[in-house]
Amino acid sequence: MQDFRKDFPLLVKEPTAYLDNAATAQRPQCVIDAEMDFYINHNANPLRGFYPLSVEATEIYEAAREKVRKFLNADSEKEIIFTRNTSESLNLVAYSYGLANIKAGDEIVISITEHHSNMLPWRMVAEKVGAVVKYLDCEQDGSFTKEALDAAFSEKTRLVAMAQVSNVLGRVNPVEEVIKRAHAVGAVAVIDGAQSVPHMKVDVKSLDADFFAFSGHKLFGPMGIGVLYGKEEILNKMQPFLCGGEMIDSVHRDSVKYAELPHKFEAGTVNAAGAAGLAAAIDYVERIGYDVMAERELALTKRAMEGIKKIPHIHILGSENPEDHTGIITFTIDDVHPHDVSAVLEADKIDVRAGHHCAQPLLEHLGVRSSTRASLMFYNTEEEVDALIASLASVRRRLGYAD
Amino acid sequence: MQINNFYNEILTEHNVRPEYKREMEDADLVLEGVNPSCGDDIWLKLKLDGDIIADGAFTGDGCAISQASADIMLGLIIGKKKDEALELGKKFLKMIQGTATEEEIDELEEAGALKDISHMPARVKCAVLGWRTLDEMFK
Ligand SMILES: Cc1ncc(COP(=O)(O)O)c(C=O)c1O
C-alpha cells in the first residue's frame, strides 16, 4: 500500500492516533505549500488593483473557483461562491433566500439527522416569517421510510434541508429522492455536503440540488474557506447576504448596483490564500482518487466495526453495515459517559470526539444523550484501528466495572 | 500523566457504587447544577438541622468525575455546619486550581483523590459541579 501518511506533516510527527477526521481533516504538505505560496509570491488584494501583482492574486483566486466548479460539475463559475465554511454557506441561503421567499404558513422540511448548522438557520427563518418546521424522521438505522417522506412533504413545502452524509451516523442520505420530492412541490433543496465531499464524488448537476455547501477544512484544505454552490437562476434573484467592498458595480449617494455573480455574495477582502489551498486539496484528492480513498476507508471501517461488535456493552449508532458509515463510527458504552470514554482513549493516545456532535435533536430522536465518535480517513492505519478496539475493550474495567 | 492514577479506585468506587445517589423527598434545599458544555447534570438535595447539614443526596447524570465528586462531597459535608462546608468548597477549588497546600488537601479527605484534575483543564468543570451547586444553594 502507498504510504499516504508521509504527505501529511502532522501525521508524520504526531504521536496520537487522529480519529476525529469528521471534525476536521489533516492537511497535506501541498495544501500548506499552496497557501504559503500565495503569501510569499502573489500576495496583493485580489479583484482590486490593476497592477500585475493584484492581477496575479485575482487569477489564483478565480482559478480556484474554476477548480471547484469542475470538481462539483457545476455549469458556471457564477454558481460557486466562496464563504468561510459550511455554516456560513447555509446561513447565506437562509438569510438571502429563506427570509425573502418563505412566507407565513409555508413549510420547511428539515431532516432530523442534521447538524445544527443545517437546522438552526432554517428554524431562524421559520420563526421570523411564521413558517412551519416539519422534521423528516429517520429510523434507528438512519434510513428513511416512504411513510416518513410522505408525512414530511406537502404542497406547502417551500424548502428542504438535508445532509448528503450524516456526521453522526455516517449514512448516505437519500438526497436524490428528497430533491425530486422537493421539486415536485415547487420547493428548493439545500444539501449539506460537509461530510460527503471528503469521501465521494459529488455532481451537483446530476443531483439537481438547488444549493450545496461544503467546508474546505474537512476536505484537507485550509480552515476559513468554504463553498456554496447555487443554481444561477436562483442566485441571480437573491439579494446580497453581506454588503460592503467588492460586491458592487457602482455606489452613489442614493443608489447602488450590485456586482454580478458570484461577487455579489463575496463582500470584503476574500480568503484568496485559502482558496489556493482548497484548489491544492482538490488536486490532491483527484490525484489519489475517491475510489482508492473509499476502499481504504471501508476496509478500516469494517475492521473497526467487527472489533467493536465483539466488545460487550458497546452499541454502534446507525446501520449494522460498514458500507453505510462513510468512516464514521458513533457509539455508546453502557454506564460510561462519553467524556470518560474520551479521557480513557486520550490516555491511550487516541483522539476521538465526545458529546452531542452538534446534532442534539438526532441523538434525542435515537434515544441517546451523548455519544463518542471515531471517524476514519484513508490515511488512518490498521494499527490505529486495533489500538482503538483494544482501548475501548478496557474502558469499563478502567472505570471500575467488573466486565 | 497516567490515566490509571487519574481514574483511581476512590473515584471509580464512588461512581460505580455511590453512597448518596438517591431520592430524597423531604429535602429542605434542592438545586440543579448543570454543565451545558458537556451535559453533566445533578440535583443536589440537603436536609438542614439549624445550621447543620443533617443529610444529603443527589440524583443526576454525567461523567464519572462529576458524579463521583458530588458523592464524595456529600460524604464530607454531612454533619458539618454550613460555613464549614463552604470553607471546604473553597479548599477544593484551590486544590483543583493547583494552589492548595498539603494540609488543605488532607482536610479534604477522599476529595483529595481528585487533585490530579488540576492537570486536566477540560475536566475541571465536572469536578467542581457539586461544590459549585452547594455554594449557590447557600447564597
Ligand atoms: C454535516 C455537517 N454540517 C455542517 C458542519 C459545519 O461545518 P463548519 O463548522 O465547517 O461550518 C459540519 C461539521 O462540523 C458537519 O459535519
Side-chain angles (χ1 to χ4, degrees), chain A residues 139-172:
Chain A
E139 298 298 291
Q140 208 64 26
D141 68 357
S143 64
F144 295 88
T145 61
K146 185 177 172 299
E147 290 71 35
L149 285 160
D150 288 344
F153 283 91
S154 84
E155 289 300 319
K156 290 189 196 154
T157 308
R158 282 294 150 267
L159 186 142
V160 48
M162 184 185 241
Q164 193 169 16
V165 169
S166 151
N167 65 311
V168 173
L169 304 174
R171 192 175 183 119
V172 180

Side-chain angles (χ1 to χ4, degrees), chain A residues 22-23 85-88 90 115 117 163 165 167 192 194-195 215 217-218:
Chain A
N85 47 41
T86 304
S87 304
E88 186 174 302
L90 296 167
H115 188 281
S117 286
V165 169
N167 65 311
D192 172 352
Q195 296 296 345
S215 295
H217 70 95
K218 294 187 201 272

